[in-house]
């Protein structure tokens, strides 16, 4: 490659620091990575660069989070508009392509030593692909989990492009090794979400709930439900699935905080379903407060206070396991994921969902489970991102061959 | 999703046929897939669609191959220009992104039941990603192999996005299963390249060699070498590596057919290295004929006639294993791949390369190996592409869990 | 160019028909072009192809309009998702680029004889650019007007890429000629919007208004205002400008139908301004009904019934001139455009806006003006699209040189 | 727009300087702009930023020119790979789109006060479009000329997007005004190419010619021809046109320096035509030296020494007018452009071309013409780029209205 081009396009000398790049494409990713990002930012041997893109710059909360990110003094580059409108699979696929196209430029210009890919969203695979073609060392957080949507495939595909793996639980650890990753580079560090949740000591107040969203006022001193049900992009029947939950929850008459789904393929129809249900079943939703988004600390405070979390959020599997929150997990999205005993799995069936919620209401809170928890998850990741020897050429690690 | 949009953009009714889409992005992929494509095209229950893109439309041989494809009467759609110039990693990454962007449109419009991804080139991963987001069933040919470049990661990432797997050998079979793929969908069918090679009965003539390229006239009745050495995109020292081979071969004085490398990142410097060597070592290259490209049948005839194939082409591992061609495999590109006894592995070292070639010249041809060969590979794939039940939601298949 | 590629990618033989392609990128464009499209569709010598893209597939009314388009039996191709989210200039520019990229593929595959570009939206310039590079004959509807935003430049740039020009008024005619276009190809055919409006004979009913939107119920038997105020993308003070109108209209106490602005750069802040004003000036907006969108016929019926149209919509200049609707045109967006006597121009000043509205209320309706009206505008355009000899090489037509 | 995003993505404070951005997409543009760029770079009130893209980074001479640019110490940003391979209209259109997409990011990040667009190449229109959507003030160099390809339309479309106009001759001045541009912003400053040529005092040596390219050795002390014939993208018969010139020149037997055409749509077939002719008419090309590219100073020295320049290069119209070089201009590409008396226009006809060359050989050199020459063109442009008040909202300037 032309050395001039290289020189002209890339950030200056590193002064011996390791340049670590974090592509952040949604608010959730920022929230979950905050502890890690702060530790890397503070480390004298690290030149940290946040690359913002995707929906993080788009929703109406971006002012909020943008101000928050800026106030931390991070080095932020390449905020880009690369989300294609449409809210369907075609738009999602194109968003991934456009994101990868633009991050290719950004990664080439920034020239990082390590690119940190987080989770399983489609833009993250696209960015991992771009980083792989650019011959960067890729670190992946939260690989190895199983789940019930396209996320499952995306997560494992990222694993096969990544060089360092920070998994959150023993089963994921085993799977990443089975997939041929070198044990020297696979680390069970626990979940960043759970570490974050464990550090929250806020107690839920009425204001924390009722200053958000619209609908009934929630009395937090009495039992209340939380519902978070995202569309599952490989299923055609998101609408019917959501209605099952709406009916089940509506018929119980328990005060409920209902979170609107994340922006994603299928979201529009989910939102429409909720709106339609609200208009036609006003008694069923008379006890419901609809909320779009709350700060992480307040969300954790709600998880610690709720009588039961219903739906298919990963928070039910991860944060709730440690917080002891009773969970009714509905449908395929989290199916197969390692779960602690706080989770009851049910199908998209109003009666079954209702029965499971009642069972959880009777049971009450659970003991904290260690399945996703390690102390200092963020510190463990930071240490390795800083110290591990970089490499780019991967080779399938043949455990079976070794053992014979 | 808006049903109108769906209706407007998609090909009409299938009449009960299974629509199978083949994205073909290089000449090599077409050559290797020809037997399979013909069988699918001829089958009454299949609605086959070839989607051409990438470099297949670009090089100076595309007229040639395009006429060939057209003469077969296939249904061809969406030829697109999506190769970004530059011949470096940035251009390669962008090509992948642009390819995926355009195939998203093409796949959405064609609305296939199955998308067949072949091998491990970067555009194929990008297309697989687009197909996955569009919720298509993905079939992958030639997964599970190990090798020594970015191809290794790309190949396994495709595996984790794919639903049906057609591997070419037992080791690949074992690896694909280890990676968590469901045994019901993983098939060792042997190599399409080897099946194709096995069907060639042409005998090499002087015309077959000397009507191509430039340089010394090769006497095919006497021992001659073939050299194919591609750049390895994760290595900085392509130039030095190539010079080692140039020196080794040049010093032997054996007539040699030297193939220019494929267009890819690093190709320009490879070509320049060869040109430079030619100009400054005219005696060393006095016995050499430089060739860009030959028809598949003539290439196989050369493999059957050559005294030794030198370099890092996959033909040395696959076709040559069945044809019994002596091979000196240089460097990391094919390292780790299952190889028959016809292959000697050496490092980028002129002396070692020279010694290995001489050893192969003394040994002569090998017996045919079955490692990559199954009779009717193409028929086996075709049968399964037609008959297997389609699915889209993948789940890590936990062999270890089963066995306990 | 490779003839194979050409053959493979393009639609079949034309049977002597002229293939005319209409890129439609917004609902408004479809509404305005409907009469013309129907005439072309019905003509035996025309092979009409609608290419849908941009926001037409995105807003919540797209179901509606899509069903309408489909019911007409048109040949529809290439619906594509190419709108980049963000609602700012960067997103708008990227949308143009992505649109042009995808229409390049669509135009290449469709291979039209003529591409019909309409108006002055940014995607239309991008599509015109793609068509020009593909060597297509470009027809432009509604060139030559002046106005007060980026639209002005975009419109004239399209003129300089176009081969046939269908202008709507004498001043535009003169300007297009001044810009060096050949008089043989410039036609003042009147406005398609006005022709459409002239054919509407519906009388406004209460249902037509009050089944749309939210807010106060409008009594259509008594005087009411209509307000349509779009953001002007070259001005920073959209918010202040809108507030001037909100205050002026609010203080009059006249029942008002207020249309939300079109989706475009600056729209988000406009909508937020309206929402904020509503919340803080509930008395001022007590007489207001907020409406997003109505069918064309009902919109025309409103124009025919309203006491005054306020804001910066082109309907105030064009349709209202023929319908005799009193108009208060605010700010720079339509400034300089040929206007009939029904229009009062005022600045972004609440007092001036209020005074002008009162003056119009006192004046009442105007006589129909012919400035934008020719009978059979659509037929005139259709005839020429069908009969004019095609050409592609443009040459500045030097009127001054001729006259000397 | 989100202020955070703005802050994060843009270059820091300007310290009162005017930030001027030069998108440079080909070697030719750099050559022609060099004097201007140096003056801007040296000016204390200017913050100059070169944005490199397009083919400038791609051809084999880019090392050369890149080193040259770098050595000047300019601030260079955003080198990007955005040329789509294919060498046809589709690839050209896509290149424009991809270029605009990437320059949108670059321009947004750089946030210039003025973007300087040069000439009429398709990427320059695409960049102008992006800059217009981003609300930048656009300066255009070399508008108003007429010529005979798609360049004509592109050039005028850029004019209609631009705010400041630096034209090279009186006729162009008149046309830009006719197109409705404001006289306060239109300046006839003469041609940068001619200013550059006028400053070259090198005398042609044999080495200057014969160290480049391949073919016959040119004796520069005796009469020799230069041929530069580019493809004309709106004509199908590039090949036939080129053969006419090849035959005409070949039959004269005069030593000839033949320049390969620029990379562009149609170039591949041009090059193939030349190669084919060489192989089949070796006698006709026995006196010919084929050259790809030479430094600007040496090119000017050749123009000053050649007996006649043949083909369709703009150098025949511009530089040659001042240098007094006899020119035979072939075909439509420069047709209609203001030309001095040194130019004979002929059609694509071998006999006519031959006769015209012979006529020019008999005539010998011409007197210097002032049509494209103003002293200090670059200084005049620089002064205005620095001092003119910036504006973005354009308005058609109605000269006719003024005069009545």
């Amino acid at each position: 490659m032309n050395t001039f081009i290289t020189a002209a396009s890339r950030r200056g000398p590193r002064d011996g620091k390791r340049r670590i790049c974090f592509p952040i494409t949604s608010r959730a990713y920022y929230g979950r990575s905050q502890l890690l990002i702060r530790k890397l930012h503070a480390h004298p041997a690290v030149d940290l660069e946040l690359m913002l893109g995707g929906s993080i710059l788009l929703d109406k909360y971006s002012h909020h989070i943008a101000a928050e990110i800026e106030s931390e003094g991070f080095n932020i580059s390449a905020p880009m508009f690369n989300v294609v409108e449409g809210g369907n699979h075609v738009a999602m696929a194109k968003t991934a392509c456009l994101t990868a196209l633009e991050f290719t430029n950004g990664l080439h210009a920034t020239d990082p030593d390590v690119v940190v890919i987080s989770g399983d969203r489609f833009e993250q695979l696209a960015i991992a692909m771009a980083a792989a073609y650019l011959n960067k060392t890729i670190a992946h957080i939260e690989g190895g989990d199983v789940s019930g949507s396209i996320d499952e495939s995306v997560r494992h595909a990222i694993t096969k492009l990544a060089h360092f793996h920070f998994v959150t639980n023993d089963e994921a650890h085993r799977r990443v090794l089975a997939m041929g990753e070198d044990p020297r580079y696979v680390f069970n560090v626990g979940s960043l979400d759970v570490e974050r949740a464990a550090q929250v000591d806020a107690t839920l107040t009425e204001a924390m709930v009722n200053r958000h969203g619209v609908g009934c006022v929630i009395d937090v001193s009495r039992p209340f439900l939380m519902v978070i049900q995202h569309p599952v992009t490989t299923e055609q029947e998101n609408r019917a699935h959501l209605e099952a939950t709406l009916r089940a929850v509506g018929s119980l008459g328990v005060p409920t905080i209902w979170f609107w789904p994340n922006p994603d393929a299928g979201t529009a129809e989910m939102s429409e379903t909720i709106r339609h249900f609200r208009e036609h079943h006003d008694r069923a939703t008379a006890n419901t407060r609809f909320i779009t988004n709350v700060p992480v600390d307040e969300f954790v405070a709600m998880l610690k206070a709720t009588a039961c979390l219903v739906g298919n959020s990963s928070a039910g599997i991860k944060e709730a396991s440690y917080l002891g929150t009773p969970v009714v997990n509905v449908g395929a999205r989290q199916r197969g994921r390692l779960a602690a005993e706080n989770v009851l799995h049910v199908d998209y069936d109003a009666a079954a969902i209702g029965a499971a919620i009642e069972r959880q209401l009777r049971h009450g809170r659970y003991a904290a489970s260690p399945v996703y928890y390690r102390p200092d998850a963020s510190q463990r990741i930071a240490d390795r991102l800083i110290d591990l020897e970089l490499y780019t050429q991967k080779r399938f690690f043949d455990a079976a061959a070794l053992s014979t």
Side-chain angles (χ1 to χ4, degrees), chain A:
Chain A
M1 202 181 332
N2 193 322
T3 53
F4 158 73
I5 299 166
T6 306
S9 67
R10 300 198 176 184
R11 273 180 50 187
R14 290 167 171 70
D15 303 324
K17 295 182 179 185
R18 183 167 286 193
R19 186 168 294 156
I20 298 177
C21 170
F22 250 85
I24 302 183
T25 53
S26 75
R27 268 181 303 128
Y29 277 28
Y30 178 68
R32 133 183 342 165
S33 308
Q34 219 168 0
L35 295 175
L36 171 58
I37 288 172
R38 281 187 195 143
K39 290 196 170 73
L40 291 171
H41 180 57
H43 199 285
V46 172
D47 178 4
L48 178 69
E49 177 122 359
L50 304 190
M51 297 184 77
L52 306 190
S55 66
I56 200 172
L57 303 174
L58 291 178
D59 68 37
K60 36 187 166 177
Y61 302 95
S62 66
H63 278 272
H64 186 70
I65 197 167
E68 195 181 325
I69 295 178
E70 202 170 26
S71 71
E72 301 246 14
F74 299 134
N75 189 9
I76 299 166
S77 74
M80 294 164 284
F81 296 87
N82 37 38
V83 174
V84 175
E85 274 191 53
N88 56 32
H89 294 139
V90 179
M92 192 166 86
K94 287 192 180 180
T95 297
C97 302
L98 193 55
T99 302
L101 190 65
E102 305 211 331
F103 272 85
T104 295
N105 288 323
L107 290 173
H108 176 60
T110 303
D111 192 24
D113 298 302
V114 185
V115 179
V116 183
I117 300 295
S118 182
D120 48 34
R121 274 182 65 88
F122 58 103
E123 322 93 82
Q124 296 279 321
L125 172 57
I127 297 169
M129 186 180 78
Y133 295 147
L134 292 174
N135 241 345
K136 302 301 174 197
T137 299
I138 298 169
H140 185 209
I141 297 175
E142 261 196 283
D145 282 358
V146 300
S147 58
S149 67
I150 181 73
D151 298 351
E152 160 102 17
S153 303
V154 167
R155 192 183 305 113
H156 301 325
I158 294 173
T159 292
K160 293 309 299 176
L161 295 174
H163 303 83
F164 303 154
H165 307 271
F166 301 105
V167 304
T168 64
N169 59 83
D170 289 336
E171 289 199 7
H173 197 182
R174 185 174 50 73
R175 278 188 213 100
V176 170
L177 293 179
M179 281 190 271
E181 296 304 302
D182 187 329
R184 287 175 299 167
Y185 301 116
V186 187
F187 310 96
N188 181 1
V189 296
S191 160
L192 287 172
D193 294 285
V194 176
E195 181 193 19
R196 181 90 163 74
Q199 295 187 1
V200 172
D201 51 13
T203 305
L204 192 65
T205 64
E206 291 215 6
M208 283 183 195
V209 176
N210 296 302
R211 72 186 177 95
H212 302 293
V214 294
C216 128
V217 172
I218 303 292
D219 174 356
V220 301
S221 69
R222 305 194 46 200
F224 65 92
L225 305 179
M226 288 170 71
V227 184
I228 310 174
Q229 187 159 337
H230 298 291
V232 178
T233 58
T234 50
E235 295 181 13
Q236 301 300 317
E237 305 96 348
N238 283 325
R239 175 183 285 267
H241 295 166
L242 186 59
E243 278 174 359
T245 304
L246 283 161
R247 271 198 305 279
V249 170
S251 66
L252 291 174
V254 182
T256 300
I257 304 173
W258 196 297
F259 285 79
W260 294 99
N262 278 342
D264 217 336
T267 297
E269 66 188 15
M270 298 294 269
S271 299
E272 203 182 310
T273 303
I274 294 177
R275 277 195 206 92
H276 185 266
F277 193 87
R278 264 168 77 184
E279 284 166 24
H280 294 79
H281 302 78
D282 47 356
R283 210 164 47 191
T285 57
N287 297 312
T288 307
R289 183 164 198 85
F290 292 92
I291 287 184
T292 312
N293 185 59
V294 297
V296 174
D297 285 10
E298 301 185 7
F299 182 74
V300 172
M302 288 183 204
L303 279 180
K304 289 161 79 171
T306 187
C308 180
L309 170 66
V310 182
N312 58 15
S313 167
S314 66
I317 306 299
K318 295 193 289 180
E319 288 90 324
S321 71
Y322 181 76
L323 300 173
T325 310
V327 170
V328 172
N329 181 69
V330 181
R333 192 164 182 260
Q334 307 294 342
R335 188 75 49 80
R337 222 168 203 176
L338 174 66
E341 59 168 358
N342 67 312
V343 180
L344 292 181
H345 289 283
V346 292
D347 230 327
Y348 302 110
D349 176 86
I353 297 168
I357 296 173
E358 288 181 327
R359 199 171 132 199
Q360 291 287 32
L361 291 177
R362 287 192 300 272
H363 180 285
R365 302 194 68 79
Y366 290 78
S369 159
V371 288
Y372 286 103
Y373 181 68
R374 297 280 181 289
D376 288 329
S378 56
Q379 190 62 55
R380 287 159 182 254
I381 297 176
D383 289 347
R384 284 168 179 80
L385 285 178
I386 294 162
D387 291 335
L388 276 174
E389 197 176 344
L390 302 178
Y391 73 107
T392 56
Q393 175 60 56
K394 292 189 64 175
R395 169 61 51 97
F396 196 95
F397 190 88
D398 234 331
L402 276 188
S403 63
T404 55

